[in-house]
Structure formats: C-alpha cells, structure tokens
Amino acid sequence: VRVEGDSLNITLTSQRPPVEPLKLVPIEWIEKMMTAPIERPLRNQTFHLANPDPPLVRWVIESSLAALRVRGARIVDHRSKARFVDAQEPMLRKLQRQMDAVLDQYEPYTCHETSFGTQAAVQALGGKYRRPRKLTAHYIEQLITYALATNWGIEKKKEAANA
C-alpha cells in the first residue's frame, strides 16, 4: 500500500468478467420511464427498462476507482484471483474480503448472459421513450462524490431501521 499525493496505490483484485456488460442505468432515467406508462393505456404488458448500450464491467470499476483516487487494483479472472490474494499482506486480504462482499452481490448482473432488450419498451412507450444518458467517467465521479458526501447512505439506512 502506497500513498502517492492524494491517491492510494493498493493491490486489490476483482473477479469480474472485464469484457462483460454491466446492466447499469441511471436512476433518474428509470424514474422517468416508470412514470411514462401511467399516461398510456398499457395492460398485461411486460417491458424491460434496460440500457441499450451498457458499459463494460472493467470500465465501471476503473472509473469508480479513479474517482476514489485508488490505483493498483487489478481485474483478473477467477483462476488467477487466488494467486493474487495469497500474495497479499493480511491487512490487504481483509480489505479484499470486504471489497468482495460488496462486489459479489452484483454477480447476477455481471456474470450471466441475460439480455434484456429495449424493443418492447420502445413500442409500449412510443414517443415517451427516451434513451438513458450515456454513462461517462464524469457521471460516475459525480455518483461517487455524492456517495462519499453522504457516507454511502449509512445514516439514512440507520434512520430507516430505527423508524
């Protein structure tokens, strides 16, 4: 682990398939598209609100880490991960386990070839359908900055649990 200016250089690994798309969409787009059917007489129809141009897992991880000013993370395949983890110091292995606990919950969205087409949504919503905004590094940085500023929503979760 090295601190370099305002960045952290740390060797952690991620076992995500780097060339797989991440089925990720901006929440404000979902909000707009979910309210659009209210104004249309849609009955017994299913349509998916999916990103027609999803970003790659590698890009999302790299953009997020850049926003956090973390360098040195490696994205490896499942066969190589054990070798990298075995070489980590105990403190890094602990951080690795914590990172894995968070990332593993997204496994169904990154490690399966499930494809959600947008054709039904486009047809059902007609002129109300809009493509989601392109996910850029700047947008990812805005999300990370907000998450940091709100302590990743921990206080709101505590408030909700106590309500």
Side-chain angles (χ1 to χ4, degrees):
V1 177
R2 290 188 317 276
V3 176
E4 299 170 351
D6 64 350
S7 297
L8 179 66
N9 191 321
I10 186 169
T11 302
L12 296 173
T13 63
S14 176
Q15 185 178 307
R16 308 272 75 75
V19 295
E20 288 290 323
L22 181 61
K23 290 115 180 137
L24 185 66
V25 293
I27 191 70
E28 67 272 10
W29 177 77
I30 292 290
E31 177 187 33
K32 288 177 186 170
M33 292 299 98
M34 284 181 66
T35 58
I38 294 171
E39 301 169 8
R40 297 182 59 91
L42 303 175
R43 300 242 192 291
N44 299 323
Q45 294 181 348
T46 300
F47 53 91
H48 301 285
L49 297 176
N51 191 337
D53 188 27
L56 297 181
V57 170
R58 175 183 296 277
W59 180 86
V60 173
I61 291 172
E62 289 172 350
S63 297
S64 299
L65 291 174
L68 290 166
R69 294 182 179 86
V70 173
R71 297 185 202 156
R74 296 180 186 194
I75 301 172
V76 298
D77 64 39
H78 67 283
R79 295 178 300 275
S80 302
K81 183 174 179 186
R83 181 170 46 92
F84 283 102
V85 171
D86 289 344
Q88 291 173 335
E89 296 174 16
M91 182 189 79
L92 281 180
R93 277 197 297 271
K94 182 177 180 178
L95 285 171
Q96 182 73 57
R97 282 192 304 273
Q98 291 171 344
M99 185 179 84
D100 289 345
V102 171
L103 291 177
D104 286 349
Q105 64 188 322
Y106 297 102
E107 189 265 344
Y109 306 101
T110 60
C111 297
H112 299 286
E113 294 184 25
T114 305
S115 177
F116 298 105
T118 59
Q119 300 84 357
V122 171
Q123 184 177 9
L125 299 176
K128 297 278 186 185
Y129 179 83
R130 300 287 181 265
R131 290 178 62 89
R133 73 188 283 180
K134 183 162 177 57
L135 300 177
T136 63
H138 177 70
Y139 182 69
I140 296 293
E141 185 173 4
Q142 286 178 312
L143 294 175
I144 296 289
T145 300
Y146 177 77
L148 289 170
T150 60
N151 197 23
W152 302 90
I154 291 173
E155 293 304 315
K156 287 193 178 210
K157 289 177 189 174
K158 287 180 183 175
E159 289 172 14
N162 293 330

